[in-house]
Amino acid sequence: DAKTTQPTSMDCAEGRAANLPCNHSTISGNEYVYWYRQIHSQGPQYIIHGLKNNETNEMASLIITEDRKSSTLILPHATLRDTAVYYCIVTLGGDKIIFGKGTRLHILP
Amino acid sequence: DVKVTQSSRYLVKRTGEKVFLECVQDMDHENMFWYRQDPGLGLRLIYFSYDVKMKEKGDIPEGYSVSREKKERFSLILESASTNQTSMYLCASSFWGRAFATNEKLFFGSGTQLSVL
């Protein structure tokens, strides 16, 4: 079973920040949090990952709570092309990587 | 850019046929994975491999086998295809082996939509 819990779906207005939450209350000290997204009819695409500190790259920001039991992926200025299923995963590495059902994000024009 | 190539985008086979799904990656990655994706069920891990000739069962290995004779190639085999194996099959690879997940980015292929009639 996936080690994460995400809302089934979310809506966000185009141009606004999309904040996607993820709960991982059983995360262990060495497990990383990874985010992927899957646009329709394509393979999933890596977005960002982190261990303890907040991270930012050209695609998104990742905010991890101090207790590491939850995280939020932030797409700062959502566009229609960001409509996708977003997956939050925790992994130790060198192990099977389990995807949950993810959050279906709809960007509204 | 890392490229993960799956041999077919669409495949139609008959019940009982032996089916080979091929996946090749060009970045010298140690890890390779096979997932299937079905509506409402998300991605489910079938098999994965850490190295040549190594394989590990995922969550749903029944009815499947795999082969990894060369580092860059990971094959998924349906010994006797059945209609419940109609699905989207996704191959992925990642760089890090048995170590902490400092760089465990998965790179996916475009998928093979398999229909078993």
Side-chain angles (χ1 to χ4, degrees):
Chain A
D1 287 343
K3 303 176 188 177
T4 62
T5 304
Q6 298 177 254
T8 302
S9 67
M10 293 181 62
D11 293 337
C12 179
E14 190 177 16
R16 304 297 292 270
N19 296 278
L20 292 92
C22 179
N23 287 321
H24 30 80
S25 58
T26 61
I27 192 170
S28 67
N30 295 324
E31 285 184 310
Y32 281 69
V33 179
Y34 276 73
W35 283 82
Y36 292 83
R37 74 179 183 185
Q38 186 175 23
I39 295 169
H40 183 62
S41 298
Q42 298 181 21
Q45 173 194 25
Y46 165 83
I47 301 173
I48 199 167
H49 74 283
L51 181 63
K52 296 180 183 177
N53 299 323
N54 299 335
E55 302 287 344
T56 295
N57 63 19
E58 65 280 3
M59 290 182 71
S61 295
L62 174 60
I63 308 297
I64 302 175
T65 58
E66 195 169 339
D67 65 6
R68 302 208 328 120
K69 292 186 177 182
S70 66
S71 60
T72 301
L73 178 75
I74 302 171
L75 308 177
H77 304 287
T79 71
L80 295 177
R81 288 178 294 181
D82 293 321
T83 292
V85 178
Y86 287 77
Y87 298 97
C88 169
I89 296 157
V90 295
T91 179
L92 181 61
D95 196 1
K96 58 184 183 181
I97 297 174
I98 303 298
F99 284 73
K101 296 183 181 178
T103 296
R104 187 171 295 276
L105 177 66
H106 297 102
I107 305 300
L108 306 175
Chain B
D1 282 353
V2 174
K3 195 164 185 183
V4 179
T5 303
Q6 294 185 231
S7 53
S8 304
R9 187 75 176 97
Y10 299 96
L11 208 54
V12 180
K13 295 292 182 181
R14 296 206 175 274
T15 302
E17 279 192 76
K18 190 169 185 176
V19 181
F20 292 86
L21 301 183
E22 306 287 347
C23 176
V24 177
Q25 49 93 3
D26 66 358
M27 279 299 290
D28 202 34
H29 284 172
E30 287 90 351
N31 297 340
M32 296 189 75
F33 304 79
W34 275 106
Y35 293 87
R36 64 177 281 177
Q37 185 169 32
D38 302 286
L41 296 178
L43 282 90
R44 293 182 290 166
L45 181 64
I46 306 171
Y47 267 99
F48 61 111
S49 169
Y50 293 119
D51 203 348
V52 175
K53 298 193 186 295
M54 302 284 289
K55 61 183 179 183
E56 302 257 0
K57 292 180 180 179
D59 292 330
I60 52 163
E62 297 78 18
Y64 303 94
S65 62
V66 290
S67 172
R68 187 136 182 232
E69 296 296 319
K70 293 185 177 181
K71 193 174 186 181
E72 67 271 17
R73 186 180 296 270
F74 193 36
S75 302
L76 180 69
I77 304 158
L78 287 65
E79 295 289 343
S80 178
S82 63
T83 54
N84 62 13
Q85 292 178 309
T86 291
S87 185
M88 169 67 79
Y89 290 88
L90 287 157
C91 174
S93 72
S94 69
F95 172 71
W96 215 248
R98 289 184 179 272
F100 294 123
T102 55
N103 194 22
E104 193 88 23
K105 296 179 194 177
L106 282 173
F107 294 88
F108 280 85
S110 299
T112 296
Q113 179 62 52
L114 173 67
S115 297
V116 182
L117 306 178

